[in-house]
Amino acid sequence: MSGQQQQIQFDDGAAYERLMGGWSRLAGEVFLDWLGLPAGLRWADIGCGNGAFTELLLARGAAGVEGIDPSEGQLAYARTRLAGRPVGLHAGSAEALPFPDAAFDAAAMALVIFFVPDPARGVAEMARVVRPGGTVAAYAWNFPAGGFPIEPLQAELRALGHRPAVPPHADIARPEPLAALWRAAGLEAVETREIPVRNRFADAEAAWDSLTSSPRVQALLAGMEPAALAGLRARVAARLAAEAGGAVSSTALAAAVRGRVPA
């Protein structure tokens, strides 16, 4: 049942929301609390996807946000989600931002840096478009530590011989490699932290629906025999923590980094 390692890609904004929306908001709130930046700033949201993190920035009082993402499917969802808000959404690459130097007070990559083909170039571009004294930051699921939100499912798939999809640069989503990238970009006052997240679901069925909501996983499960699928569901459920009233919960872990553009 093993096969070539697949890379995670998100091209469907609605599917991403079902899979990752709740997790993204939980981690994003902790991340923004940690940054502690004031309202009224101009933000660049690099790899804005379906607008989940952009929405958090606006809720925290951002004066305006410019988002960029290579996926037109994700941007289409974001345009609907953020209609009428002070947001610009652009199709493009993190490695060649269509913004002038020092155009923003802050720039962030939310759950993105491990997808960027050249992460170092992406960080350098964020530093370029942020004013002196401004903040460049990111957070990403810590894959090496088993921190991806659907790890309960992926662990069981690995046990069956599958090789679940991972981002192309999953190995850098740890505090030390992130700090090294930030320092190599010339950023100052570089700090890191881990962001543990616990997501609660009404019951095991709701958790299964979320964990298996990506089209890639759905296609894999559709090819399984009913008895094998039932066994997989039971083993995944056993990895979840029981909560009061029949609810269950699961945990994830992100690594975050921040730095300052030299004055």
Side-chain angles (χ1 to χ4, degrees):
M1 300 177 70
S2 61
Q4 183 177 6
Q5 186 76 52
Q6 299 291 313
Q7 290 186 359
I8 292 176
Q9 291 180 320
F10 293 111
D11 298 314
D12 183 328
Y16 180 86
E17 185 65 20
R18 291 191 300 273
L19 175 68
M20 205 59 63
W23 291 103
S24 177
R25 284 185 288 275
L26 287 167
E29 292 286 8
V30 177
F31 175 68
L32 289 173
D33 285 344
W34 177 57
L35 294 183
L37 297 177
L41 300 185
R42 301 161 297 157
W43 281 84
D45 183 2
I46 312 305
C48 62
N50 74 357
F53 184 71
T54 316
E55 198 167 55
L56 291 182
L57 291 174
L58 294 170
R60 297 288 185 112
V65 183
E66 296 295 320
I68 186 168
D69 199 273
S71 169
E72 287 289 356
Q74 290 270 49
L75 289 171
Y77 189 98
R79 290 187 181 104
T80 299
R81 177 185 214 150
L82 302 168
R85 313 291 291 278
V87 173
L89 296 170
H90 313 269
S93 166
E95 299 153 305
L97 298 179
F99 310 124
D101 295 356
F104 301 97
D105 301 301
M109 284 187 183
L111 307 177
V112 167
I113 193 164
F114 39 34
F115 292 115
V116 178
D118 184 346
R121 179 61 185 164
V123 179
E125 275 290 272
M126 283 201 292
R128 178 185 66 80
V129 302
V130 170
R131 63 168 174 78
T135 296
V136 174
Y139 67 99
W141 299 123
N142 189 333
F143 275 81
F148 192 39
I150 66 169
E151 174 61 16
L153 173 65
Q154 289 197 331
E156 292 300 331
L157 290 176
R158 288 194 297 272
L160 291 174
H162 292 283
R163 299 186 68 192
V166 298
H169 297 289
D171 59 312
I172 69 171
R174 295 172 288 132
E176 296 83 359
L178 289 175
L181 278 174
W182 256 242
R183 294 190 182 102
L187 294 161
E188 299 177 339
V190 175
E191 298 179 277
T192 63
R193 68 158 290 175
E194 291 188 316
I195 300 176
V197 178
R198 179 177 294 276
N199 200 1
R200 292 175 173 81
F201 303 91
D203 50 34
E205 182 73 19
W208 174 262
D209 288 345
S210 175
L211 293 170
T212 63
S213 59
S214 81
R216 188 188 300 275
V217 170
Q218 287 287 325
L220 173 63
L221 299 181
M224 295 183 68
E225 294 293 332
L229 180 59
L232 175 62
R233 292 185 66 146
R235 292 191 297 275
V236 170
R239 288 179 173 269
L240 306 176
E243 303 279 343
V248 298
S249 65
S250 184
T251 60
L253 180 68
V257 61
R258 63 186 177 191
R260 185 177 64 241
V261 177

